[in-house]
Amino acid sequence: MTEATRRERPGGRTARTRRAVIDATTALLSEGSPSALTVGQIAARAGVNEATVYRKWGSKDALLTDVLLTLSAERLTVADTGSLRGDLVETVGAVADFLRTPAGFALAALAATADDETSAKLRDAFWADRFDRARTIFGRAAERGELVDVEQAMLAYEALIGTLHFRILARRRELDADIAERLTDLVLDGLRRPPRD
């Protein structure tokens, strides 16, 4: 294969097929319920054979979980605003924005309920990555003297993100436009370093 051919085929056919399936699934989730979605519909939208989808993911739930992880990894980056509050508002706000989309809501619901082995592994990898990214934010804040206990801050992060998921999944409530700011300020009241005498 020539260098020019490699440039024309970034990632190769497997990567392009995976991307086509993920994009097709995301589009279909924006149009209807995940329970009504079929692998056949996804394959047809992606322009691939249905057997290809099953060979790669094994089940619809595993595919949908992978879509959640992929979209989250692409859209939820580690904020670096120079302050703990700024980083948390930006991070929590990005999560809220994703959960407000039809695909984000549908995939969050699936991630909370799908329990096949593949989905469980993907979900564990996703949350491990999210908490590693949060630890980066809190580690920087500790270096700046904005908080004392990084482990306590990790629990606070779980409370922040958990509140978003609880509100949309358990209470079926919309996420207010200022939810990131309000939650961040509420949590920071308990995290900030006590004033010196």
Side-chain angles (χ1 to χ4, degrees):
M1 180 183 293
T2 67
E3 183 62 30
T5 304
R6 278 194 291 270
R7 282 198 301 269
E8 290 169 2
R9 299 179 56 193
R13 184 173 60 185
T14 300
R16 289 197 311 276
T17 298
R18 180 178 181 274
R19 186 76 245 179
V21 171
I22 286 174
D23 290 345
T25 306
T26 302
L28 287 166
L29 283 169
S30 298
E31 299 170 7
S33 166
S35 61
L37 187 59
T38 69
V39 172
Q41 290 172 322
I42 294 169
R45 178 72 66 95
V48 302
N49 191 289
E50 189 171 342
T52 301
V53 178
Y54 280 112
R55 187 166 54 250
K56 170 67 178 171
W57 285 276
S59 71
K60 184 180 82 170
D61 281 358
L63 166 60
L64 294 178
T65 304
D66 192 16
V67 171
L68 167 65
L69 303 184
T70 301
L71 294 179
S72 296
E74 291 172 353
R75 299 179 186 182
L76 308 178
T77 58
V78 178
D80 189 3
T81 66
S83 74
L84 176 58
R85 182 183 186 278
D87 288 353
L88 288 178
V89 167
E90 191 170 308
T91 299
V92 174
V95 173
D97 287 344
F98 178 63
L99 293 176
R100 287 187 187 103
T101 67
F105 176 84
L107 293 168
L110 180 75
T113 57
D115 56 8
D116 64 274
E117 185 177 354
T118 302
S119 294
K121 288 179 180 177
L122 289 168
R123 183 170 54 241
D124 290 347
F126 166 73
W127 285 114
D129 175 68
R130 297 314 307 166
F131 279 91
D132 282 346
R133 292 173 186 232
R135 189 174 293 279
T136 298
I137 291 173
F138 293 127
R140 288 194 307 245
E143 291 173 1
R144 292 190 298 260
E146 292 182 89
L147 59 86
V148 178
D149 190 338
V150 171
E151 292 309 314
Q152 181 186 28
M154 293 300 294
L155 180 61
Y157 177 76
E158 189 170 356
L160 284 167
I161 302 304
T163 298
L164 299 179
H165 285 257
F166 177 79
R167 178 167 284 200
I168 65 166
L169 296 175
R171 300 190 68 205
R172 303 291 193 210
R173 299 284 182 86
E174 293 183 2
L175 297 175
D176 302 330
D178 62 346
I179 190 75
E181 292 88 347
R182 287 167 53 213
L183 281 176
T184 297
D185 289 337
L186 178 67
V187 167
L188 283 181
D189 284 343
L191 285 179
R192 289 196 176 99
R193 181 189 294 273
R196 296 174 180 168
D197 294 335

